[in-house]
Amino acid sequence: MSERTVSVGSRVGLHARPASLFVQAAARQPVPVTIAKPGGDPVDARSILMVIGLDVRGGDEVVLHADGEGADAALDELVELLATDHDAEVPS
Amino acid sequence: MSRELRGLGVSAGIAVGPVARLAAPPELPDRDAPVADAEAEAARAAEALEAVAAGLDARAAQADGAAADVLVAQGLMARDPVLGDAVAGLVRDGRDAPHAIDAALHEHRRALEGLGGYMAERAADLDDLRTRAVAHLLGLPMPGIPQPGHPFVLVADDLAPADTATLDPAQVLGIVTERGGPTGHTAILAKQLGIPAITACPDASVLVDGQRLLLDGGTGLLVADPDDALVADAERRARELAARRASSHGPGRTADGHPVRLLVNVGGPGDLEAPGVPGAQGVGLLRTEFLFLERATAPTREEQEALYAEVFSAFSGRTVIVRTLDVGADKPLAYLPQAPEENPALGVRGLRLARRDPELLAEQLDAIAAAARASDADVGVMAPMVATAREAEGFARLARDHGLEKVGVMIEVPSAALCAAEILRHVDFASLGTNDLAQYTLATDRLAGELADLLDPWQPALLRLIARTIEAGVAAGKPIGVCGEAASEPMLALVLAGMGVTSLSMGAASLADVRATLAAHTIDQCRALASTALAAGSAPDARAGCGGRRAGGRRRRLTPCPSSRSTPSRSPRAAAPPWRSASPSAPARWRTCPASSATSCCVPSRARPATSSTRAGRPKRTSRRGCRARRSLAATPRRGPVKGRRWRSTPAC
């Protein structure tokens, strides 16, 4: 079982576009991933409704879990995504 | 047989075309249909959600920026695996597909709503999903913008943000809604896109698809099944309007050369790219909220300075009036916790925030002053929500201590308008924020759509407070501007000019109309209009008296009387208030004006005032109109230099 703790880089938090990007990335992973606030109940990282329901703000820490083959690589990718400030990007 | 209808004109312009109605949301049957095969029913539910998601994806591909983000997120919600499992579970428990989807979404809706704020706004997205999935399952028309295959006039009960995200100005000739007010989402959007629009027209419910409709977004007049002569007249007026807009350039002045500076309202650097901005004489209102909202920590002094400098350099040699931070309990800053307030519009907001956190204001003034020193723009600074002369004095001292020379205040609270003379002793200028001034004078929430008539900028009480403020400015020899969207209504702009305002600041899209209208009238005509407006006993009378729509009657179209051109112009700084100089008989002769295509007040819904935006556990605003308006442009928490919407959609003062 692999676990990572990461601080959310997007200032708006895990809402809106950052949440969409995260959920889409989680769905692409070969293993199921969960996300939780520290000490909170983990939820399915592929579920945008559950993820935005966590109400994670910018700078908050979240804990990712995954099991099975490829779990570490999956978490590494998601951690990098979460740590990035997607608000800073300028969409077209 | 033609038939006249009336509504509130919110976006100037004339349109003629066939009606296409927005389909009403489908009704969910009271009872579940019997389900013979639960597995098949679950598959049907899954297929409906997938169809809805595919439709949202298609629309997302056509949209961009924040609108696309909302649609992408909504598509992900439709495909949400947790939602899908819940729906399947409910079907296996005996629910039919539409009811299962309705119930499952309802659960998530409740959860999000409980979180308040931005999350509560996402609840509206779930409502939209539910509507779409149910329509799909029941074989009803999908709600949304109709696509008849030819240009049309869009008629709707009201428009939701999802409806408008992909609105194509080439297809949508005009917009008519049964509900909505002058400050709602539809009004803002229509103005942004330059689509003529009328809201608050309950009679529009009789209009049917394909029916020919003529609408004048300036006057609020609609004609169903107009005859050819009317259409020809409307088309001629539309051409005239287009020609006036095209030929409008240069500084703001009346036909006889009386100057009224025409400025733009800017919500952030993105606004600087709007067409019309290059022709403006400066910025009459630089909102600074965009720097502070939706972030975990306060912007640093350097960060602020860089952004102010960016705006100042774009207006080198011109005026830029910076309004200091205007937020309140309904838009709490993460780094400046504010306890919930029963009435955020009446609470600690605007300048009052400095009572609790003087540092924030001090640092902002510092940054503005530093950026101003490094620029050759004519920079002024003003405080929002000033209520007393003492507050004005305190702010002026603070700003001058920071090295700012040109200091002013917003006049948006009735007490400030009443005490304008005293306030002006301490500051160099004042700017009327007519939207909030209307809200506070008429005791009417800016987002209360059903009370839209009370927020009419032509309300006598509002006009009198404006006149009184300008009178104080004239007496003190200090400039008074208007930066509420009332300044963008061409007819009202004439009235304000006649009262003696020295500048009008508005969204860039309105500049050409106002400039052209002003250039077509002498200052004496403006003064006569001001007298007429001030003498009127009601908003409709004031508007009608000035040549706009009459309450339930025809517009008067008289020719201006050439004799009054001989009346000498008076300086706006003359000791007597200018509108009093107009002869009592003048108003009747001046009822006409090419500016009958006046636009109404339009306030983007940042939801600043009086919306009890909530966090967990607090009571929520109950007005459905308010909720609808709020979730509009504010749908996504937009951050940083996102091009387009966010900064363009911040509210007027």
Side-chain angles (χ1 to χ4, degrees), chain A residues 15-16 47-49 52 57, chain B residues 69 80 82 118-119 615 636:
Chain A
H15 304 151
S47 165
I48 189 157
L49 289 166
I52 65 174
R57 310 294 172 92
Chain B
D69 290 347
D80 193 301
V82 172
Y118 165 76
M119 293 305 176
R615 293 232 174 275
T636 320

Side-chain angles (χ1 to χ4, degrees), chain B residues 570-613:
Chain B
R570 282 169 193 249
S571 148
R573 301 215 169 160
W579 59 90
R580 289 197 186 147
S581 67
S583 92
S585 61
R589 294 210 291 269
W590 289 108
R591 286 213 176 98
T592 295
C593 157
S596 48
S597 56
T599 46
S600 237
C601 164
C602 152
V603 187
S605 54
R606 176 186 48 176
R608 176 189 62 195
T611 38
S612 337
S613 149

Side-chain angles (χ1 to χ4, degrees), chain B residues 457-546:
Chain B
W458 291 84
Q459 280 289 349
L462 181 64
L463 291 179
R464 286 169 204 178
L465 283 176
I466 292 171
R468 189 182 172 113
T469 304
I470 298 170
E471 185 177 347
V474 170
K478 292 186 176 175
I480 307 290
V482 173
C483 68
E485 293 277 329
S488 68
E489 183 174 334
M491 177 64 63
L492 198 47
L494 295 180
V495 169
L496 296 169
M499 288 180 179
V501 290
T502 52
S503 66
L504 297 167
S505 191
M506 65 203 81
S510 306
L511 271 178
D513 266 3
V514 171
R515 188 189 288 118
T517 305
L518 204 56
H521 294 76
T522 64
I523 187 64
D524 283 325
Q525 285 175 300
C526 294
R527 287 174 185 152
L529 287 168
S531 301
T532 305
L534 283 167
S538 72
D541 283 352
R543 206 187 277 267
C546 290

Side-chain angles (χ1 to χ4, degrees), chain B residues 219 491 542-550 554-556 591 596:
Chain B
T219 60
M491 177 64 63
R543 206 187 277 267
C546 290
R549 77 202 147 108
R550 278 176 75 75
R554 298 199 317 274
R555 278 182 306 131
R556 299 191 191 184
R591 286 213 176 98
S596 48

Side-chain angles (χ1 to χ4, degrees), chain A residues 11-12 15-17 19-20 23-24 44 46-50 52-55 57-58 87-92, chain B residues 65 69 72-73 76-77 80-83 108 112 115 118-119 122 126 294-296 303 615 636-637 639 641-642:
Chain A
R11 284 178 296 192
V12 22
H15 304 151
R17 188 158 167 273
S20 296
V23 167
Q24 286 167 315
D44 187 339
R46 296 167 306 161
S47 165
I48 189 157
L49 289 166
M50 300 308 285
I52 65 174
L54 289 175
D55 198 14
R57 310 294 172 92
D87 308 324
E89 294 171 15
V90 181
S92 61
Chain B
D69 290 347
V72 165
L76 289 171
M77 289 177 189
D80 193 301
V82 172
L83 175 72
H108 284 287
L112 291 186
L115 294 169
Y118 165 76
M119 293 305 176
R122 300 277 67 75
L126 295 186
E294 289 158 16
R295 49 185 297 158
E303 213 175 317
R615 293 232 174 275
T636 320
R639 278 240 38 78
V642 177

Side-chain angles (χ1 to χ4, degrees), chain B residues 394-472:
Chain B
F395 175 74
R397 191 183 310 121
L398 189 67
R400 291 192 179 111
D401 285 351
H402 280 85
L404 288 153
E405 289 166 11
K406 196 162 140 191
V407 184
V409 292
M410 295 279 299
I411 304 284
E412 53 189 338
V413 180
S415 63
L418 292 168
C419 298
E422 289 76 10
I423 285 174
L424 285 167
R425 279 185 207 141
H426 305 292
V427 296
D428 307 306
F429 70 92
S431 188
L432 283 150
T434 48
N435 307 320
D436 268 334
L437 189 56
Q439 156 166 282
Y440 294 127
T441 303
L442 279 298
T444 303
D445 186 334
R446 274 167 60 175
L447 299 175
E450 61 191 311
L451 304 176
D453 56 311
L454 296 175
L455 290 171
D456 190 324
W458 291 84
Q459 280 289 349
L462 181 64
L463 291 179
R464 286 169 204 178
L465 283 176
I466 292 171
R468 189 182 172 113
T469 304
I470 298 170
E471 185 177 347

Side-chain angles (χ1 to χ4, degrees), chain B residues 20-194:
Chain B
R21 290 199 70 102
L22 190 79
E27 294 284 330
L28 196 62
D30 287 345
R31 289 163 183 277
D32 284 73
V35 174
D37 180 347
E39 287 311 313
E41 188 71 0
R44 205 164 79 87
E47 187 272 332
L49 286 170
E50 177 53 36
V52 169
L56 289 163
D57 286 352
R59 289 197 298 151
Q62 292 168 28
D64 52 27
D69 290 347
V70 172
L71 293 167
V72 165
Q74 226 185 339
L76 289 171
M77 289 177 189
R79 290 199 180 97
D80 193 301
V82 172
L83 175 72
D85 289 350
V87 169
L90 286 160
V91 171
R92 285 185 195 105
D93 288 346
R95 308 302 308 262
D96 69 2
H99 284 90
I101 289 174
D102 177 60
L105 281 172
H106 188 71
E107 275 308 301
H108 284 287
R109 185 187 202 291
R110 271 224 317 246
L112 291 186
E113 223 176 22
L115 294 169
Y118 165 76
M119 293 305 176
E121 285 167 4
R122 300 277 67 75
D125 295 346
L126 295 186
D127 289 345
D128 186 54
L129 281 187
R130 169 201 169 278
T131 301
R132 289 173 185 283
V134 169
H136 182 87
L137 285 165
L138 300 179
L140 296 169
M142 194 61 73
I145 302 299
Q147 292 178 334
H150 53 74
F152 58 95
V153 176
L154 178 63
V155 178
D157 174 46
D158 201 357
L159 292 177
D163 301 328
T164 53
T166 56
L167 211 58
D168 177 4
Q171 288 293 306
V172 180
L173 301 168
I175 298 173
V176 179
T177 64
E178 292 163 34
R179 295 190 291 156
T183 60
H185 170 64
T186 303
I188 299 150
L189 185 101
K191 256 187 156 179
Q192 263 180 23
L193 296 177

